[in-house]
Amino acid sequence: MKRFLGMLTLVGFICSAEVTYAQVEKADQEFEQLSYSTALELYKKAFEQTKTVPILQKIVECNKRMNRYKDWEAWAAKLIAADNKNPDNYLTYGEALVRNGKYTDAKQSFYLFGRYSSGKLYESQFLQASCDSALYQMNNPQTQATVKSLDILSTPYSDWGLVKYRNGFVFSSDRPWEQKTIDKNSKKLYGWTGRPFLKIFYVESDPEKNSWGTPTLFSDFFNGEYHTAGAAFNERQNTVFFTRTRFVNTPETGTKPVLRLEIFMSEAWKEARAFKHNSILKYSVGDPAVTNDGTRLYFVSDMQGGYGGTDIYYCDMGADGEWGPFKNAGPHLNSKGDERFPTLMNDNVMFFSSNGRIGMGGLDIYRATREKEEWKNIIRLDYPINSPQDDFSLIVTKISGVPENADKIKLEGFFSSDRFDSKGADDIYQFTCVMPQFQKEYYYKGRTINNETGLPITNVTITVIDQASKVSNTYKSNEKGDYEVPLKPNRQYEIIMKKNNYFASKQIFNTGDKLRPDMLQSDLKFDPIVLDRAIRLNNIYYDFNKSTITAESQADLDNLVGVMKENPEIIIELGSHTDSRGDATANLALSQKRAQTVVDYVVAKGVPAARIIAKGYGKTKPLVMCDNTSDCSEAEHALNRRTEFKVTRLKTDMSASK
C-alpha cells in the first residue's frame, strides 16, 4: 500500500511538472509575440507550481513593459530575495522604485547595481544622481506651476496626446469605439496591454469656458488595423501626419514579430500616403511634429547611427513638394536614452520627452530653443509637471505676460502622463507654469574663493565665451572677491577663471537650465598651486601586472589633459606607485612603464612632452607602511597603488632662471 501511494505521488509530481513546463512554454510563446498581458498570467500560474528565478524574471519584465509600476516593484523585490547577486536585478528593482517615487530606496538599489556590475559605475552614479535631483524637486517644488487632471477626457483606458484642431482637439486613445462598419478587426485587442488598439479621436472644445463635447472617432479612413496615434497638423490644418504600427518579421528576427512604427500623411483628407523615410524592415519612424508652414517635419526613430535608443530627426520639403534627406537633430537635443514626442511652439521652441537625462523618472518633459539650425538650451520642466512616471506630449495653448515681473511669461496648456492619480494607463492633464522669457538678460554673480582657506581672492580674471557666437568678454572680481557678469538667456557659455599661482578653473554654464534667479549665484573656488605637492588621480586602473590603461581610466586622464591645457604654465611630474607586495625591482620597472603610459596618453592629446615627465616609484613611497605585506588590508594596499601628479616648476620660474 505504501509503495502504491508513493507511485501516485511520483505520478502526480511528473504531471505537475509537465503542466508547469507547458504553461511556461506557452507563456514564452506569448512573450515572443509581444502579448505580455497573456504571458504574465501564464507565468504567474507557473510560478505557483515552481518558484524559479527565470520565471520570476519574466514576470518582472512583463510588469515593466506594461508599466504596472506597483506590481513591477513587488515582483522585483521577490526577485532580489531569490537572487541577490545579479546586478541586473538591482537595476530593475531601482527603476521600479523610481517609478513609484521611492527615490531613497532606489538610490541604494542603484548603488548595489554599480557595486555588483563590471564597468557600470558611470551608469550607477548617473542613476543615483537622478534620485538626488528628483528628491530635491519633490522637496522644493516650483510653486508657480499647477497641474490638474482633465477629467472630462479621462477613462480607465489610455488617453493622451491632445493636439489643437479646428473647433476642438484630437487625441489618441485605446478606449472602445463604435465602428461605422463592422469588420473582423472591430474586437481585436492589443496583446501587449490587453486593451483595444489606439485610434485617433476628436472632441469639440472651448477651454476658456471649460466646455467639452463628446469624443468621437476622428476618421475611419485614417485609423488603421493596429495602432493609429500621435496626430500633428500644419497651421492651415489641411495636412495631418500620424503614426501607424505594424507587426513584421524582419530578416534579423525571423519568425519573431517586431512592432514597428511608420508615419503617414494626408493632404486635404485625400488617401493617406506613407512618409518617404519609412523603412519598416530596418527601423521605426513615428511621433511626427510639423512646422507651421508644413515644410519641415520632425520625427523620432530608432535607426542605427543615433545618439541613443530613439532620437529626434528632421527633414525639409523641397520646391518639388518632395521630402529631402533627413538629419539627426544633434547631441544637444538627443541623449544616450530615448527622446520621444516632440511638439513645436512657434517653430523655434520644442517640447519633448526623454529618459536619458538626470530627471524625475521615466520620460520627463524638456524644453529646447532653436538657434539657427541647432536645438540648444535644454531645460527640464519642474515638478509637478514632471513626475516619477512617464510625462509627455506637452502643448502650449496660451502665452501671457506676468504683470508683476516683465521678465517672465505664463504658459498654459496640456500634457499626458500615467502618474498615480490617473484614471487609466495614460491621462491628459491641464497645466499652468511661469518661466523666464525666452529672451532676457541674466546676471551670474558670486565670489571668488580660495578652496583651501575659504578666503576671498581678488582680481580674478573671468572670461565668458558665448558657445554659439564665440564672442568673449572679460571681467574681474573686485577687492572683496565679488564678481558679476551679464549673460543672455537660453545660451551656453564657457567660463574660464584665472589667477596667478592658482589652478585655472573652467565650467560650462547653460542659462536655459536656470529657471529661478537664485540658481544664477555661485561661488567660484580655486585650488592654489603648491610646488611638489602630490595630487592623486582617482580611478586610474591597469590590467593586472600590466601597464595598459583600462577604458574606465580615460575620463580621469582626460581631466588631467584639461588641467594641463587650462594651465599652460605648469610643468608636472607624473608618478606611479605600487603596493608593498612583490619584487622591488620588478615593481619599480612596472610603475615606470605605467607612468610612461599615462604620459604618452596625455601627450597624444596635444600636451607638449616637455611639460610632463614620467617617474615610477615602485613601492618606495607607500602611504601606508606595511612591515609585512600581511599586516595591510586590501584597502590599505589599494591606497598605496596610486597614480599622482605634482607641479614641479612654473614657466615663470624657468624664465627667471635663464
Side-chain angles (χ1 to χ4, degrees), residues 444-602:
Y444 187 38
K445 56 187 178 181
R447 179 168 289 186
T448 49
I449 293 175
N450 184 314
N451 196 32
E452 290 188 1
T453 66
L455 297 175
I457 308 172
T458 64
N459 295 317
V460 173
T461 301
I462 303 172
T463 303
V464 179
I465 305 170
D466 187 320
Q467 294 286 75
S469 65
K470 302 303 180 183
V471 173
S472 65
N473 291 287
T474 301
Y475 309 87
K476 282 185 178 282
S477 60
N478 63 19
E479 65 276 8
K480 296 181 180 179
D482 295 327
Y483 72 93
E484 181 175 285
V485 298
L487 303 176
K488 295 292 184 182
N490 305 314
R491 293 286 190 278
Q492 184 163 284
Y493 292 94
E494 183 182 62
I495 301 178
I496 303 171
M497 292 75 70
K498 291 187 176 182
K499 172 76 174 180
N500 287 341
N501 299 318
Y502 287 85
F503 285 104
S505 177
K506 182 173 74 173
Q507 63 176 278
I508 301 298
F509 188 82
N510 191 335
T511 55
D513 286 336
K514 316 303 172 187
L515 293 181
R516 293 185 292 274
D518 61 336
M519 300 186 93
L520 293 175
Q521 300 183 25
S522 176
D523 289 335
L524 305 178
K525 298 180 180 180
F526 295 79
D527 291 309
I529 295 175
V530 180
L531 296 181
D532 296 317
R533 174 191 285 180
I535 301 173
R536 182 169 184 145
L537 295 173
N538 296 316
N539 304 316
I540 305 301
Y541 305 114
Y542 305 87
D543 292 325
F544 177 73
N545 206 30
K546 295 182 180 179
S547 59
T548 52
I549 304 168
T550 66
E552 296 172 294
S553 305
Q554 292 186 6
D556 286 86
L557 290 180
D558 288 340
N559 288 337
L560 175 60
V561 172
V563 169
M564 295 296 291
K565 291 184 176 180
E566 292 160 17
N567 300 272
E569 74 277 14
I570 64 174
I571 311 297
I572 72 167
E573 175 194 281
L574 195 292
S576 178
H577 302 259
T578 67
D579 58 39
S580 58
R581 294 174 290 190
D583 178 74
T585 302
N587 278 357
L588 196 64
L590 178 61
S591 64
Q592 182 64 37
K593 288 182 180 179
R594 287 177 170 177
Q596 189 60 50
T597 299
V598 174
V599 169
D600 292 342
Y601 181 94
V602 174

Side-chain angles (χ1 to χ4, degrees), residues 1-9:
M1 184 66 177
K2 289 182 179 179
R3 181 178 299 173
F4 178 70
L5 290 175
M7 291 177 64
L8 285 178
T9 302

Side-chain angles (χ1 to χ4, degrees), residues 161-162 341-345 350-353 365-367 381 385-386 391-397 411-416 429 431 433 435:
L162 206 65
F341 306 106
T343 61
L344 297 173
M345 186 177 78
M350 179 187 290
F351 295 94
F352 67 98
S353 292
I365 299 172
Y366 293 80
R367 190 199 80 191
L381 273 62
I385 293 177
N386 280 316
D391 307 290
F392 57 100
S393 292
L394 184 143
I395 63 167
V396 175
T397 56
L411 304 182
E412 300 177 49
F414 302 90
F415 69 94
S416 307
Y429 290 80
F431 79 91
C433 71
M435 63 172 56

Side-chain angles (χ1 to χ4, degrees), residues 210-254:
N210 196 28
S211 172
W212 296 84
T214 301
T216 58
L217 202 64
F218 180 55
S219 171
D220 277 333
F221 184 65
F222 294 143
N223 284 312
E225 180 179 356
Y226 298 112
H227 290 308
T228 304
F233 300 90
N234 61 350
E235 189 173 37
R236 294 175 60 192
Q237 298 189 336
N238 62 354
T239 303
V240 60
F241 300 82
F242 52 89
T243 305
R244 284 179 180 168
T245 63
R246 276 199 283 166
F247 293 89
V248 296
N249 297 322
T250 70
E252 290 77 17
T253 61

